[in-house]
PDB file of all heavy atoms in Angstrom:
ATOM      1  N   THR J 183     122.335  77.803 105.225  1.00  0.00           N
ATOM      2  CA  THR J 183     121.817  79.075 104.623  1.00  0.00           C
ATOM      3  C   THR J 183     120.942  78.744 103.410  1.00  0.00           C
ATOM      4  O   THR J 183     119.878  79.397 103.234  1.00  0.00           O
ATOM      5  CB  THR J 183     123.026  79.906 104.170  1.00  0.00           C
ATOM      6  OG1 THR J 183     123.773  80.235 105.333  1.00  0.00           O
ATOM      7  CG2 THR J 183     122.512  81.245 103.531  1.00  0.00           C
ATOM      8  N   PHE J 184     121.390  77.784 102.536  1.00  0.00           N
ATOM      9  CA  PHE J 184     120.659  77.500 101.296  1.00  0.00           C
ATOM     10  C   PHE J 184     119.749  76.289 101.422  1.00  0.00           C
ATOM     11  O   PHE J 184     119.212  75.850 100.441  1.00  0.00           O
ATOM     12  CB  PHE J 184     121.622  77.475 100.191  1.00  0.00           C
ATOM     13  CG  PHE J 184     122.324  78.757  99.981  1.00  0.00           C
ATOM     14  CD1 PHE J 184     123.651  79.048 100.295  1.00  0.00           C
ATOM     15  CD2 PHE J 184     121.533  79.760  99.340  1.00  0.00           C
ATOM     16  CE1 PHE J 184     124.271  80.227 100.103  1.00  0.00           C
ATOM     17  CE2 PHE J 184     122.205  81.028  99.144  1.00  0.00           C
ATOM     18  CZ  PHE J 184     123.411  81.267  99.586  1.00  0.00           C
ATOM     19  N   GLU J 185     119.633  75.722 102.645  1.00  0.00           N
ATOM     20  CA  GLU J 185     118.726  74.642 102.854  1.00  0.00           C
ATOM     21  C   GLU J 185     119.013  73.415 101.891  1.00  0.00           C
ATOM     22  O   GLU J 185     118.046  72.769 101.427  1.00  0.00           O
ATOM     23  CB  GLU J 185     117.264  75.006 102.819  1.00  0.00           C
ATOM     24  CG  GLU J 185     116.929  76.097 103.932  1.00  0.00           C
ATOM     25  CD  GLU J 185     115.467  76.440 104.010  1.00  0.00           C
ATOM     26  OE1 GLU J 185     114.697  76.092 103.141  1.00  0.00           O
ATOM     27  OE2 GLU J 185     115.113  77.184 104.996  1.00  0.00           O
ATOM     28  N   THR J 186     120.281  73.083 101.639  1.00  0.00           N
ATOM     29  CA  THR J 186     120.620  71.911 100.857  1.00  0.00           C
ATOM     30  C   THR J 186     122.068  71.607 101.202  1.00  0.00           C
ATOM     31  O   THR J 186     122.888  72.439 101.470  1.00  0.00           O
ATOM     32  CB  THR J 186     120.458  72.122  99.356  1.00  0.00           C
ATOM     33  OG1 THR J 186     121.033  71.026  98.663  1.00  0.00           O
ATOM     34  CG2 THR J 186     121.116  73.317  98.786  1.00  0.00           C
ATOM     35  N   ASP J 187     122.420  70.258 101.060  1.00  0.00           N
ATOM     36  CA  ASP J 187     123.710  69.799 101.248  1.00  0.00           C
ATOM     37  C   ASP J 187     124.546  69.703  99.970  1.00  0.00           C
ATOM     38  O   ASP J 187     125.714  69.419  99.998  1.00  0.00           O
ATOM     39  CB  ASP J 187     123.765  68.366 101.989  1.00  0.00           C
ATOM     40  CG  ASP J 187     123.381  68.557 103.399  1.00  0.00           C
ATOM     41  OD1 ASP J 187     123.650  69.513 104.040  1.00  0.00           O
ATOM     42  OD2 ASP J 187     122.701  67.591 103.833  1.00  0.00           O
ATOM     43  N   SER J 188     123.871  69.922  98.857  1.00  0.00           N
ATOM     44  CA  SER J 188     124.536  69.748  97.525  1.00  0.00           C
ATOM     45  C   SER J 188     125.363  70.987  97.179  1.00  0.00           C
ATOM     46  O   SER J 188     124.863  72.071  96.869  1.00  0.00           O
ATOM     47  CB  SER J 188     123.439  69.477  96.482  1.00  0.00           C
ATOM     48  OG  SER J 188     124.018  69.723  95.214  1.00  0.00           O
ATOM     49  N   LYS J 189     126.707  70.760  97.077  1.00  0.00           N
ATOM     50  CA  LYS J 189     127.610  71.852  96.722  1.00  0.00           C
ATOM     51  C   LYS J 189     127.309  72.350  95.291  1.00  0.00           C
ATOM     52  O   LYS J 189     127.282  73.591  95.016  1.00  0.00           O
ATOM     53  CB  LYS J 189     129.085  71.320  96.682  1.00  0.00           C
ATOM     54  CG  LYS J 189     129.778  71.543  97.987  1.00  0.00           C
ATOM     55  CD  LYS J 189     131.285  71.077  97.815  1.00  0.00           C
ATOM     56  CE  LYS J 189     132.165  72.185  98.437  1.00  0.00           C
ATOM     57  NZ  LYS J 189     133.530  71.788  98.592  1.00  0.00           N
ATOM     58  N   ASP J 190     126.943  71.416  94.394  1.00  0.00           N
ATOM     59  CA  ASP J 190     126.671  71.786  92.987  1.00  0.00           C
ATOM     60  C   ASP J 190     125.412  72.653  92.981  1.00  0.00           C
ATOM     61  O   ASP J 190     125.332  73.687  92.269  1.00  0.00           O
ATOM     62  CB  ASP J 190     126.422  70.516  92.144  1.00  0.00           C
ATOM     63  CG  ASP J 190     127.790  69.748  91.903  1.00  0.00           C
ATOM     64  OD1 ASP J 190     128.839  70.353  92.215  1.00  0.00           O
ATOM     65  OD2 ASP J 190     127.744  68.548  91.481  1.00  0.00           O
ATOM     66  N   ASP J 191     124.337  72.260  93.667  1.00  0.00           N
ATOM     67  CA  ASP J 191     123.106  73.029  93.642  1.00  0.00           C
ATOM     68  C   ASP J 191     123.334  74.399  94.238  1.00  0.00           C
ATOM     69  O   ASP J 191     122.861  75.384  93.630  1.00  0.00           O
ATOM     70  CB  ASP J 191     121.998  72.323  94.540  1.00  0.00           C
ATOM     71  CG  ASP J 191     121.510  71.127  93.831  1.00  0.00           C
ATOM     72  OD1 ASP J 191     121.935  70.801  92.696  1.00  0.00           O
ATOM     73  OD2 ASP J 191     120.733  70.388  94.456  1.00  0.00           O
ATOM     74  N   VAL J 192     124.105  74.501  95.303  1.00  0.00           N
ATOM     75  CA  VAL J 192     124.373  75.825  95.938  1.00  0.00           C
ATOM     76  C   VAL J 192     125.114  76.746  94.893  1.00  0.00           C
ATOM     77  O   VAL J 192     124.815  77.856  94.652  1.00  0.00           O
ATOM     78  CB  VAL J 192     125.157  75.701  97.226  1.00  0.00           C
ATOM     79  CG1 VAL J 192     125.672  77.021  97.669  1.00  0.00           C
ATOM     80  CG2 VAL J 192     124.242  75.167  98.291  1.00  0.00           C
ATOM     81  N   MET J 193     126.171  76.133  94.317  1.00  0.00           N
ATOM     82  CA  MET J 193     126.989  76.961  93.331  1.00  0.00           C
ATOM     83  C   MET J 193     126.137  77.329  92.153  1.00  0.00           C
ATOM     84  O   MET J 193     126.171  78.504  91.711  1.00  0.00           O
ATOM     85  CB  MET J 193     128.229  76.188  92.974  1.00  0.00           C
ATOM     86  CG  MET J 193     129.253  77.070  92.219  1.00  0.00           C
ATOM     87  SD  MET J 193     129.556  78.717  92.947  1.00  0.00           S
ATOM     88  CE  MET J 193     130.639  78.292  94.317  1.00  0.00           C
ATOM     89  N   GLU J 194     125.309  76.511  91.687  1.00  0.00           N
ATOM     90  CA  GLU J 194     124.502  76.793  90.538  1.00  0.00           C
ATOM     91  C   GLU J 194     123.494  77.949  90.883  1.00  0.00           C
ATOM     92  O   GLU J 194     123.380  78.962  90.135  1.00  0.00           O
ATOM     93  CB  GLU J 194     123.624  75.537  90.066  1.00  0.00           C
ATOM     94  CG  GLU J 194     123.016  75.669  88.773  1.00  0.00           C
ATOM     95  CD  GLU J 194     122.145  74.524  88.447  1.00  0.00           C
ATOM     96  OE1 GLU J 194     122.474  73.344  88.875  1.00  0.00           O
ATOM     97  OE2 GLU J 194     121.117  74.725  87.751  1.00  0.00           O
ATOM     98  N   HIS J 195     122.952  77.887  92.076  1.00  0.00           N
ATOM     99  CA  HIS J 195     122.036  78.912  92.568  1.00  0.00           C
ATOM    100  C   HIS J 195     122.792  80.264  92.724  1.00  0.00           C
ATOM    101  O   HIS J 195     122.320  81.309  92.233  1.00  0.00           O
ATOM    102  CB  HIS J 195     121.418  78.493  93.919  1.00  0.00           C
ATOM    103  CG  HIS J 195     120.718  79.536  94.681  1.00  0.00           C
ATOM    104  ND1 HIS J 195     119.486  80.100  94.233  1.00  0.00           N
ATOM    105  CD2 HIS J 195     121.063  80.344  95.800  1.00  0.00           C
ATOM    106  CE1 HIS J 195     119.193  81.099  95.031  1.00  0.00           C
ATOM    107  NE2 HIS J 195     120.117  81.167  96.028  1.00  0.00           N
ATOM    108  N   CYS J 196     123.935  80.156  93.322  1.00  0.00           N
ATOM    109  CA  CYS J 196     124.723  81.457  93.587  1.00  0.00           C
ATOM    110  C   CYS J 196     125.249  82.094  92.306  1.00  0.00           C
ATOM    111  O   CYS J 196     125.171  83.281  92.190  1.00  0.00           O
ATOM    112  CB  CYS J 196     125.838  81.116  94.603  1.00  0.00           C
ATOM    113  SG  CYS J 196     125.292  80.773  96.258  1.00  0.00           S
TER     114      CYS J 196
END
Side-chain angles (χ1 to χ4, degrees):
T183 300
F184 294 104
E185 297 185 354
T186 168
D187 288 327
S188 162
K189 268 184 133 171
D190 290 345
D191 288 355
V192 166
M193 190 46 78
E194 195 184 326
H195 167 72
C196 289

